[in-house]
Amino acid sequence: MARHIDSRRIHSQVLLPLGLSLVALSLLACGDGRAEDSSESTPWPVKLITVEAAGSEQIRRYPATVKAATSSTLTFQASGIVQLVPVNEAQQVERGAHGISRAR
C-alpha cells in the first residue's frame, strides 16, 4: 500500500527548522561577539603613490587657431603712448573720471 506524503508536514517538520538553523548560524558567524571601539581601531594600510611632473614625452600639441567669442574696437581721443595708469586691477572707477591715465 502506497503511503501519501503530506508536503505541509515535511515543510513544518524538516524545512522550517533547517532554515531557522541556517539563519541562526549565519548570524553567529557575522561577528566575534565583541563590540568594536572606533577610537581604538587599528589603522588600515594604504598604498602611496608619489606624483611627479610629467616629462616632455607626455606633452601633446594640437594645431589650432584660438579666436575670442566677442571683440571690441577701441578708439582714443588723443594719440600717444600710455605711461601711467594709477588704478589697481579690479578697482572701481567712476564714469568720466579725469586723470586716470597719462599719455606722452
Side-chain angles (χ1 to χ4, degrees):
M1 191 167 171
R3 197 171 151 191
H4 179 61
I5 300 173
D6 187 10
S7 64
R8 286 180 283 176
R9 184 174 172 204
I10 291 174
H11 183 278
S12 64
Q13 289 183 350
V14 176
L15 296 179
L16 186 61
L18 180 63
L20 291 175
S21 298
L22 287 174
V23 170
L25 285 173
S26 298
L27 291 175
L28 288 174
C30 288
D32 59 1
R34 294 179 290 177
E36 184 178 326
D37 186 11
S38 63
S39 64
E40 295 180 17
S41 63
T42 58
W44 291 82
V46 295
K47 187 178 205 178
L48 296 178
I49 299 173
T50 304
V51 179
E52 297 176 3
S56 62
E57 67 275 355
Q58 294 183 1
I59 294 176
R60 295 183 180 158
R61 296 176 189 250
Y62 299 100
T65 303
V66 179
K67 294 183 180 179
T70 58
S71 63
S72 298
T73 303
L74 302 176
T75 59
F76 301 97
Q77 294 178 356
S79 63
I81 299 173
V82 176
Q83 292 179 328
L84 176 69
V85 180
V87 292
N88 296 324
E89 186 175 327
Q91 178 181 344
Q92 294 285 332
V93 179
E94 292 183 25
R95 181 183 293 249
H98 295 287
I100 294 298
S101 65
R102 291 188 200 153
R104 176 171 60 153

